[in-house]
Amino acid sequence: MSFHRGRTSSLASGLTARLAIFIIVIAFLVTPTSWSQADGPDPVLAGSDSALASLAPITSLVAEDNTYDNGNALRLIWVPSIDDRLIDSKIIGYRVYRLAGAGEPRAIAELPPGSNQYLDETVLRDSVYSYYISTLSERAEFPSNRTAAISPQREWINLDRGYLFLIALAIAGAVIYYVTVAKRGKKLFVRKIAGLEAIDDAVGRATEMGRPVLFIPGIHDMDDVQTLAALTILGRVSRTIADYESKIFMPVARSLVMTAGREVIKSSYQAAGRPDAYSDDMVNYITDEQFGYVAAVDGIMVREKPATVFLLGAFFAESLILAETGNSVGAIQIAGTARPAQLPFFIAACDFTLIGEELFAASAYLSGEPRQLGSLKGQDVGKVIAMVVMTVGVIALTFAEAWKIEFMQDILDRLSIIFSTN
Amino acid sequence: MPNVGVLVPLVAIFGGLIWLLVRAIRGREVERRVIFMFIFVAVATPILFPITFQEHATPVVKNLFDRIENLPSGSTILMSFDFDPAMAPEVQPMANALSRHCLAREHKIVFMCLWATGQSLLNTTLEYVIRPDFPHLVDGVDFVNVGYKAGNEGVLNVIVSDFKKMFPTDVNGVPLDGVEIFDKVGSCKDFDLILTVGGGRPGPKEWVLFVGDPADVPIGAGVAAVVAPQLYPYYPRQVIGILGGIKGAAEYESELVKTHPRFENMEKPGLRMMGPQTLAHVVILAFIVIGNIAFFRGRRGKKTE
Amino acid sequence: MRQLVPLTITFCVGTLLIVSVFIPPLGDLERTFTLWFDIIAVFAFFLGGGNLLRVHINKLRRRKTDWGFSIVTLAGFSTMLAAGLFKIGNPGDIATAVDAPGSMFYTIFDSVVVPLGSTMYSLLAFFVASASYRAFRAKNREATLLLVAAFIILLGRTPFGLMLTEWVPDSFSLLQIPNLAIWIMNSPNLAGQRAIMIGIGLGVISMSLRLILGIERSYLGGDNA
């Protein structure tokens, strides 16, 4: 009996359980979001087969302040809908809604399936916002819970860039340290740069031949540090030209470079005690158009046949056209650029080429002034840092990849964090 | 008849090269204008009498092709025309092939330029490629042209966080707020892919530094051959694929035709220009050999003296 | 005094922009200064355009050598300026883009500027050949390395590269010329490029510090002693 009773009671409890599950399933199918939408908006259904198209909304939606900004961004993070699958997914995306204070919700972005975070950069500091995200199917959308109200905060220091600050401090500190050391009179060794040693000879050659010196400062404006570097060299070159009583001509592609170039040459002539020999016509604006400028400069080279051509600054596809034309008229050519793609052309067609950093070092080198030479020495500290980091990185990567040594992977990860600028 | 047309210059080129080789063995250098003449014939012949070669996409091109091919239809792609007329013969074929591919896959394209000169070249692509090949597509719905904005990297710095701040309207003055594509796009971060075609500055490198990297958006680049080496440091993480020079364009076109046979009869300037490029390379190689022979013979002559 | 003002501005703006990288509320400064520069550069165009006109009008007036070219320059300058300024032949009203298809500006650009630019660019084909002929010579060990690398890359960019080495088994596929060309570009070339880039980066830092601290002032037309 006990067996029967027990069986009956177990049957009864089984039936009750099944019935309960059935009711729960039916209730779930009929109101798919009723449990998870305690304080969220109702689903918006656009079709009669809504029950078939029901999708689970996203969960765990959190809005947080985006760190280290000017109080103009909030970050949303969530767990995508369980229906968000790579294959046969009914989800076509997510729609982000924002409520400013107690205002109406406004759709601010649509995101592709698989998204699990969004950075809202259209918020105002100290305003209060809350969000919810709808999972989108072809015909309906299924909103999530609403986040707690949050307002974006401003941070005064970007601690994410702490490492960058330290690296910058080390390099800049080294430059300033060596400038100070050099100022105190300590002799610093700087290797010989052939292209710069040749400047006096090149200008002397132009004087002997009675032909002009052509100075081409690249095709970029004054906001390019290469143009500034070219103008610093122009200062030294035009001083030598003024001393030798030779002629200089400088066609430019930017108006501001024309003004700056004139100032530089004018003061060189004044410093050489020959202000009367200076003329504004030494520097002429041609055109901003790259190949229009090249055509004009080529024409000048062919007609004037300069004895010396300086090609210093930012150059692009025109580098070889200018350098080969200069070569064809028999000019001695000194070139320099920080555009690695153009360096091979200059090396092939010019007599001397200042490679990358040599262009920036030129002015300091030519002046021979201790403070400027000190700044070059400071650069070497940066090179030592780069070499050490590269060596450690290569060793760590090799060991981490080949022998799966975790410690090496940690070093790599740490290096990536240190040298990331984001 | 075209065969004769091809043969005569080819025989002239190779005959001439042999003659120059013999002169080089005697220690004679070649004059600059002779080199120019040979290059002229080598480039002009395959243009007048097209010679085409089979091309296979290298991984660096295939990666970009596959990305566009595998993006779900309707993805939003930003395409920037950052070049001038001088660079156009080399990079416009890439821009055309990329636009065709994106639109064939039914992606939405936002066209823009960082170079003032890019605007007219973009119009050329719209006028001569998109309109005839995709007459059913609607400006403002399937693609939108926001035009040129001055400011170089400054523009990139702004659009990386707010696109409409720099481009409030399209090129015809229609506010972007009313353009459907921009319902989903607030900043560059919302694009599924950014394509940049160019070679100068600002160009692909600036797109990587100012947009691709900070916004974590994949970038595909079409660049002049001379600039391609500069982009390799960013491949394949930041730049998912690079079309370098005419060869890159030719590889992309052949892959496009292979996957989308409807483009079989399209204009294929990349593949067409591989003929002149190949012949010119062969001539340059021959001149390098001749130059070295002349150099060594000349040096030996001097030593003997 | 002539140098003090620009040096002070350089110091203040330079320092501010460096600091702004680490202080979020100043994050927009770089953008603002870039825009200011562009505005100034636009106004500076009047200087350039004015200079161009002055030089060529003088040349024409004094019948200097090649004065005929000045007529072409002045005619081109004024035609393009008028076409853009007055939107001559624009299909729509004055609000349409200056270079809308059909406008005079577009037509001149398309049929004159584009072919002229392409012509200049195409000169590269000739100059690459003449420079290669002169530069790639096995004068010493380094030059020989350069020559061999150039040879492989040139061949690798043509279908002949594959044709010549197609027989190389797949296990040695690196030795196929196109793959070898890609390896040269991706490994030795890339390593060299990166080294140059690092040098350039450090050079820019050092140069910028010299400018900001006022140690380097020859670009202002001073310190030429």
Side-chain angles (χ1 to χ4, degrees):
Chain A
M1 281 304 282
S2 61
F3 172 77
H4 272 275
R5 212 182 303 135
R7 196 165 170 251
T8 314
S9 78
S10 97
L11 268 173
S13 64
L15 255 174
T16 318
R18 278 179 210 168
L19 196 66
I21 291 169
F22 180 73
I23 291 168
I24 289 167
V25 169
I26 291 290
F28 183 79
L29 285 176
V30 172
T31 53
T33 51
S34 57
W35 293 344
S36 56
Q37 298 301 309
D39 57 350
D42 291 335
V44 182
L45 304 175
S48 56
D49 55 350
S50 54
L52 289 173
S54 68
L55 296 171
I58 61 128
T59 52
S60 312
L61 174 64
V62 177
E64 57 187 36
D65 180 41
N66 186 49
T67 48
Y68 309 132
D69 60 12
N70 192 25
N72 51 4
L74 289 171
R75 184 178 292 280
L76 302 178
I77 302 168
W78 63 90
V79 175
S81 161
I82 52 167
D83 293 316
D84 192 345
R85 293 184 292 256
L86 275 177
I87 302 161
D88 292 337
S89 178
K90 291 191 176 68
I91 291 179
I92 59 163
Y94 298 103
R95 187 172 292 147
V96 181
Y97 286 91
R98 184 175 70 198
L99 293 88
E104 285 295 303
R106 196 167 73 87
I108 54 164
E110 279 194 23
L111 307 170
S115 310
N116 62 358
Q117 56 172 307
Y118 176 72
L119 187 67
D120 182 6
E121 291 175 288
T122 54
V123 291
L124 298 172
R125 195 172 61 243
D126 299 331
S127 299
V128 179
Y129 299 96
S130 60
Y131 296 84
Y132 68 89
I133 294 177
S134 284
T135 306
L136 305 177
S137 73
E138 287 288 349
R139 296 179 168 215
E141 55 181 271
F142 302 89
S144 69
N145 283 342
R146 194 180 297 167
T147 64
I150 186 169
S151 66
Q153 301 297 314
R154 167 160 69 185
E155 286 83 18
W156 283 97
I157 292 177
N158 187 345
L159 294 178
D160 269 352
R161 291 185 173 161
Y163 286 117
L164 182 68
F165 178 73
L166 290 178
I167 296 166
L169 202 66
I171 297 172
V175 171
I176 293 168
Y177 169 75
Y178 279 106
V179 166
T180 323
V181 167
K183 218 162 90 179
R184 283 196 216 123
K186 194 182 172 193
K187 284 254 180 263
L188 298 171
F189 169 75
V190 179
R191 71 180 161 86
K192 280 222 176 306
I193 301 176
L196 299 174
E197 292 288 315
I199 286 183
D200 280 355
D201 291 343
V203 175
R205 181 176 183 259
T207 317
E208 281 168 19
M209 295 173 80
R211 292 205 223 145
V213 172
L214 195 63
F215 193 99
I216 303 164
I219 60 164
H220 264 184
D221 217 328
M222 291 296 287
D223 59 342
D224 192 317
V225 69
Q226 295 180 75
T227 312
L228 284 174
L231 289 182
T232 60
I233 302 171
L234 173 69
R236 316 285 168 196
V237 171
S238 53
R239 173 67 200 264
T240 314
I241 290 171
D243 284 339
Y244 284 19
E245 298 189 16
S246 192
K247 278 187 289 181
I248 184 170
F249 185 63
M250 180 177 163
V252 298
R254 306 284 158 166
S255 308
L256 284 179
V257 180
M258 177 186 79
T259 319
R262 281 179 177 169
E263 280 299 310
V264 171
I265 297 178
K266 193 195 249 176
S267 29
S268 293
Y269 272 72
Q270 277 167 351
R274 301 184 58 226
D276 49 315
Y278 168 78
S279 151
D280 270 355
D281 288 343
M282 288 173 173
V283 186
N284 270 351
Y285 169 80
I286 306 279
T287 170
D288 277 45
E289 221 287 315
Q290 183 185 18
F291 286 99
Y293 175 72
V294 176
V297 175
D298 271 5
I300 291 166
M301 283 187 191
V302 173
R303 286 191 299 270
E304 306 287 333
K305 298 212 169 8
T308 304
V309 175
F310 288 94
L311 295 149
L312 302 165
F315 289 91
F316 297 82
E318 71 283 359
S319 61
L320 187 65
I321 301 176
L322 293 172
E324 271 294 287
T325 311
N327 184 287
S328 72
V329 299
I332 183 166
Q333 301 196 99
I334 298 175
T337 185
R339 298 283 305 181
Q342 306 307 326
L343 284 168
F345 296 131
F346 280 151
I347 289 168
C350 297
D351 300 279
F352 299 97
T353 305
L354 304 176
I355 298 173
E357 60 178 313
E358 292 176 348
L359 173 69
F360 302 115
S363 174
Y365 184 95
L366 289 170
S367 73
E369 199 212 330
R371 286 189 309 166
Q372 297 220 33
L373 292 177
S375 73
L376 299 186
K377 201 78 188 161
Q379 253 173 265
D380 291 349
V381 174
K383 282 185 196 163
V384 171
I385 295 175
M387 282 191 274
V388 170
V389 171
M390 275 192 284
T391 313
V392 172
V394 167
I395 292 171
L397 183 64
T398 309
F399 280 88
E401 290 281 313
W403 292 284
K404 308 280 175 227
I405 300 176
E406 218 168 280
F407 167 64
M408 292 294 173
Q409 188 59 49
D410 290 345
I411 293 179
L412 269 183
D413 294 342
R414 178 55 59 185
L415 286 178
S416 321
I417 293 169
I418 292 173
F419 290 95
S420 163
T421 50
N422 297 330
Chain B
M1 276 312 279
N3 288 343
V4 180
V6 180
L7 273 178
V8 172
L10 286 185
V11 168
I13 291 172
F14 289 107
L17 286 173
I18 292 169
W19 175 66
L20 290 174
L21 188 69
V22 172
R23 277 168 50 94
I25 292 170
R26 291 183 194 151
R28 305 275 293 273
E29 290 281 354
V30 183
E31 252 190 82
R32 187 189 299 262
R33 68 190 82 179
V34 176
I35 300 175
F36 291 169
M37 200 179 68
F38 271 84
I39 289 290
F40 174 75
V41 179
V43 172
T45 305
I47 290 177
L48 295 173
F49 308 101
I51 306 172
T52 46
F53 299 92
Q54 195 78 27
E55 285 295 336
H56 301 280
T58 45
V60 71
V61 172
K62 188 83 169 51
N63 267 4
L64 179 57
F65 184 90
D66 288 347
R67 177 62 71 102
I68 294 177
E69 188 66 22
N70 297 331
L71 276 176
S73 292
S75 298
T76 323
I77 293 174
L78 176 68
M79 190 161 172
S80 189
F81 280 55
D82 307 327
F83 55 94
D84 60 2
M87 220 189 297
E90 196 176 4
V91 297
Q92 191 130 23
M94 302 171 194
N96 293 349
L98 287 166
S99 317
R100 274 198 179 102
H101 190 197
C102 293
L103 293 174
R105 288 287 300 114
E106 295 175 5
H107 300 319
K108 310 282 181 196
I109 311 183
V110 176
F111 292 105
M112 62 168 280
C113 329
L114 290 176
W115 287 37
T117 44
Q119 179 60 63
S120 299
L121 299 158
L122 167 54
N123 286 340
T124 309
T125 294
L126 293 173
E127 200 71 15
Y128 298 110
V129 175
I130 294 178
R131 208 150 286 167
D133 281 13
F134 303 92
H136 59 287
L137 297 186
V138 183
D139 188 353
V141 177
D142 301 292
F143 61 89
V144 59
N145 172 12
V146 298
Y148 162 73
K149 190 64 75 177
N152 302 331
E153 292 91 329
V155 175
L156 298 180
N157 251 332
V158 177
I159 63 173
V160 71
S161 53
D162 190 351
F163 197 89
K164 288 178 210 163
K165 194 170 175 182
M166 251 321 164
F167 295 97
T169 65
D170 77 358
V171 75
N172 299 317
V174 178
L176 292 188
D177 280 328
V179 175
E180 201 185 312
I181 297 175
F182 281 90
D183 289 351
K184 287 185 187 175
V185 174
S187 70
C188 281
K189 292 170 191 170
D190 302 321
F191 288 107
D192 298 295
L193 178 67
I194 293 175
L195 298 171
T196 154
V197 182
R201 185 181 158 204
K205 193 175 157 192
E206 283 67 35
W207 273 102
V208 175
L209 297 178
F210 291 91
V211 178
D213 222 18
D216 200 20
V217 188
I219 297 226
V223 290
V226 70
V227 185
Q230 267 185 35
L231 281 187
Y232 275 98
Y234 306 108
Y235 170 79
R237 240 190 70 209
Q238 292 105 318
V239 177
I240 54 165
I242 304 165
L243 315 187
I246 284 298
K247 183 150 169 55
E251 288 177 17
Y252 203 91
E253 283 171 1
S254 74
E255 199 63 22
L256 186 61
V257 171
K258 208 163 76 187
T259 321
H260 297 266
R262 59 176 281 208
F263 293 122
E264 184 62 54
N265 297 322
M266 75 172 185
E267 180 81 345
K268 296 184 273 287
L271 281 164
R272 204 184 61 223
M273 282 195 275
M274 268 311 280
Q277 175 165 312
T278 303
L279 210 53
H281 277 196
V282 171
V283 169
I284 292 174
L285 284 170
F287 273 115
I288 293 175
V289 173
I290 291 168
N292 276 283
I293 292 172
F295 171 67
F296 280 110
R297 297 296 298 181
R299 202 160 66 168
R300 187 179 288 181
K302 272 181 201 162
K303 272 183 191 166
T304 320
E305 280 164 26
Chain C
M1 189 63 192
R2 224 184 102 248
Q3 286 202 0
L4 186 68
V5 175
L7 282 176
T8 312
I9 294 173
T10 310
F11 177 79
C12 294
V13 174
T15 314
L16 201 61
L17 285 180
I18 291 175
V19 170
S20 74
V21 175
F22 305 100
I23 299 181
L26 301 179
D28 273 349
L29 269 185
E30 190 198 341
R31 207 178 292 171
T32 312
F33 281 118
T34 308
L35 289 176
W36 286 4
F37 177 84
D38 288 337
I39 293 166
I40 295 168
V42 166
F43 281 103
F45 173 76
F46 290 106
L47 285 174
N51 173 256
L52 187 88
L53 286 176
R54 191 179 59 79
V55 167
H56 287 280
I57 289 172
N58 275 345
K59 212 169 170 180
L60 204 61
R61 201 187 291 155
R62 292 177 196 166
R63 294 283 193 276
K64 283 187 181 173
T65 330
D66 300 326
W67 59 270
F69 295 138
S70 295
I71 299 179
V72 179
T73 307
L74 291 172
F77 183 86
S78 40
T79 311
M80 211 60 182
L81 190 70
L85 216 54
F86 305 113
K87 296 191 175 176
I88 301 170
N90 263 43
D93 55 8
I94 197 80
T96 53
V98 68
D99 53 357
S103 63
M104 186 176 165
F105 190 91
Y106 179 82
T107 311
I108 299 178
F109 187 86
D110 205 37
S111 27
V112 181
V113 181
V114 172
L116 284 180
S118 303
T119 306
M120 285 309 293
Y121 189 50
S122 64
L123 284 180
L124 266 178
F126 298 96
F127 289 145
V128 161
S130 61
S132 307
Y133 172 76
R134 235 185 20 255
F136 294 131
R137 294 198 174 179
K139 291 175 190 162
N140 50 42
R141 202 181 305 159
E142 290 84 359
T144 312
L145 264 179
L146 192 70
L147 167 70
V148 173
F151 214 88
I152 292 170
I153 288 177
L154 275 169
L155 254 185
R157 302 295 287 181
T158 68
F160 295 122
L162 188 64
M163 283 179 206
L164 286 173
T165 48
E166 220 164 0
W167 54 271
V168 175
D170 277 352
S171 44
F172 294 100
S173 62
L174 181 68
L175 296 177
Q176 287 179 346
I177 287 178
N179 293 338
L180 208 53
I182 292 174
W183 178 81
I184 290 174
M185 296 294 280
N186 281 353
S187 300
N189 165 65
L190 193 54
Q193 291 247 6
R194 281 182 172 156
I196 292 175
M197 296 285 275
I198 290 171
I200 289 170
L202 292 167
V204 170
I205 293 174
S206 167
M207 172 102 194
S208 307
L209 280 174
R210 288 204 302 270
L211 293 170
I212 290 170
L213 298 175
I215 298 171
E216 173 65 78
R217 49 183 78 179
S218 52
Y219 72 104
L220 291 172
D223 195 25
N224 280 320

